[in-house]
Amino acid sequence: MENLTYPLTSIHVTSAQAHRAEILENPLQTYLLGIIISICGNVLISISLNIQKYAHLRQAQRCSKPYYTSVIWWCGVILMGVGELGNFAAYGFAPASLIAPLGCVSVIASAVISVVFLKETVRASDIVGGTLAITGTYVLVTFAPRTSTHITADLIQYYVVSWHFLLYLFIEVIVFCILLYLYKRRNVKHIVIVMLLVALLASLTVISVKAVSGMITESINGHLQLIYPIFHVMLVVMVASCAFQIKFLNQAMKMFDATEVVPVNFVFFTTSAIIAGIVFYQEFEDLALLNIFMFLLGCLLSFLGVFLIARNRPKIKQQDRNFIAMDQIPGRRHTDQEKPEAKTSTYGSLAAKLMCNRAGQTGDS
């Protein structure tokens, strides 16, 4: 009986050691590749946003065909797709706790591009915020965990049934249900409530995106992972969490100003992604306390930088100043059309609101 027990124990210990060896493997080349792909993807996203913004501005000035008929607008959409694909691929090469904070690169690049090409005014807060964000990015990249894990179906299954993830998932479900009850039943329309719902979904998105991306990468390298059921489970979780995340984010954009939503969403999303990486992928395991402190400091500097860049941007509510009260115009009792028709594709959208704000700035200047 003792001879039977010994082999079983040895097999269990060997399996755990194999998982641990796989987690601790650290090819620097793969790690740097993930960082470069993420940065390039975020830069492409910022370029695409400014191209779409330019298409909206030109369409608003000329009052021509709808924006979706513009070749320039479609170029921006294609660039955004390429950038998002780059971010997706980056999760397969570098830790999730590092890729998520690099999203501030998109904010910095967007601010620079809008000043150079769209001739927007440079503010002191933009310079200070950009400096803080760049410094924070350098610090967190320098001190981030450098474990580059080979994501396999067996490893994902091993992580899914771990007790710390199950506890984390249980707590997240309870908190999500409470927030959803306050938001839907109690009608608590506070930005923190909505953005926390987005962040909780984002943590599942990050976990599933890294799992799917990693398994696709391993399959391309010759180790087929797409036939395992866990791949399809993670793919469903990724699509579902992304869909509901976009839904709540759009609701937040309708209720609150973009200058509030952008920095709060970045902070909450990055925090949830870091926690997900720590709990599920154990990315901070054996990381020195100094590295953890400096990494968190880099994240804090990035948060402050994004907040300063987004602070005091033109608010959506300011678009009312673009319309003149009809009782102040002699001989006119009504207008032909005071606002876009609700059936148009741009009415109520974030892009249309941002374009109105920008048009208001141009008119004032």
Side-chain angles (χ1 to χ4, degrees), residues 64-350:
S64 57
K65 298 179 181 179
Y67 66 92
Y68 51 80
T69 61
S70 172
V71 177
I72 296 177
W73 185 82
W74 279 108
C75 289
V77 172
I78 294 173
L79 277 179
M80 175 171 284
V82 175
E84 293 292 354
L85 184 63
N87 270 336
F88 173 80
Y91 279 99
F93 296 98
S97 56
L98 173 61
I99 298 301
L102 289 179
C104 68
V105 173
S106 178
V107 179
I108 300 170
S110 182
V112 173
I113 293 171
S114 63
V115 170
V116 175
F117 293 100
L118 299 181
K119 308 303 180 183
E120 294 188 359
T121 305
V122 181
R123 306 171 303 162
S125 59
D126 293 333
I127 298 175
V128 176
T131 303
L132 286 175
I134 293 173
T135 304
T137 302
Y138 173 78
V139 172
L140 65 89
V141 167
T142 303
F143 293 95
R146 298 189 178 184
T147 54
S148 184
T149 308
H150 288 285
I151 303 297
T152 62
D154 292 336
L155 186 63
I156 296 299
Q157 291 175 350
Y158 174 78
Y159 284 150
V160 167
V161 298
S162 60
W163 68 267
H164 40 78
F165 172 69
L166 294 177
L167 178 61
Y168 170 77
L169 184 62
F170 174 76
I171 296 174
E172 183 172 282
V173 170
I174 296 298
V175 174
F176 185 85
C177 291
I178 294 174
L179 293 174
L180 191 62
Y181 172 77
L182 293 175
Y183 178 65
K184 292 292 187 180
R185 296 296 183 180
R186 294 296 182 179
N187 202 30
V188 180
K189 307 296 184 183
H190 194 278
I191 187 171
V192 173
I193 299 294
V194 184
M195 300 316 297
L196 279 176
L197 289 170
V198 175
L200 291 176
L201 290 169
S203 66
L204 294 179
T205 302
V206 168
I207 291 173
S208 57
V209 163
K210 183 172 178 62
V212 172
S213 177
M215 283 188 278
I216 291 177
T217 302
E218 286 296 310
S219 299
I220 294 175
N221 291 334
H223 305 90
L224 186 60
Q225 306 293 319
L226 309 185
I227 59 176
Y228 293 94
I230 191 64
F231 172 79
H232 302 286
V233 171
M234 285 296 174
L235 185 62
V236 171
V237 172
M238 181 184 71
V239 174
S241 60
C242 281
F244 284 102
Q245 185 181 342
I246 293 173
K247 175 185 176 181
F248 285 115
L249 191 57
N250 285 333
Q251 292 177 2
M253 285 295 191
K254 292 179 181 179
M255 292 186 294
F256 309 103
D257 194 85
T259 59
E260 299 172 326
V261 174
V262 170
V264 174
N265 180 58
F266 175 73
V267 172
F268 283 12
F269 171 82
T270 303
T271 303
S272 66
I274 292 173
I275 294 175
I278 293 173
V279 174
F280 189 84
Y281 293 103
Q282 304 173 18
E283 292 176 346
F284 277 25
E285 188 177 16
D286 297 330
L287 193 66
L289 289 177
L290 177 62
N291 288 58
I292 296 176
F293 174 78
M294 295 302 295
F295 176 81
L296 296 178
L297 177 62
C299 291
L300 179 61
L301 292 176
S302 299
F303 294 161
L304 291 175
V306 171
F307 172 77
L308 289 176
I309 292 173
R311 188 173 66 97
N312 293 333
R313 289 289 180 186
K315 294 183 179 297
I316 292 173
K317 295 180 181 179
Q318 293 176 352
Q319 66 181 353
D320 296 337
R321 65 182 180 175
N322 297 323
F323 301 98
I324 304 174
M326 289 303 104
D327 56 356
Q328 297 178 3
I329 302 179
R332 295 297 300 272
R333 294 185 179 181
H334 60 85
T335 58
D336 296 331
Q337 185 177 352
E338 296 184 19
K339 62 182 180 180
E341 295 180 1
K343 63 182 180 181
T344 60
S345 58
T346 58
Y347 180 68
S349 66
L350 173 62

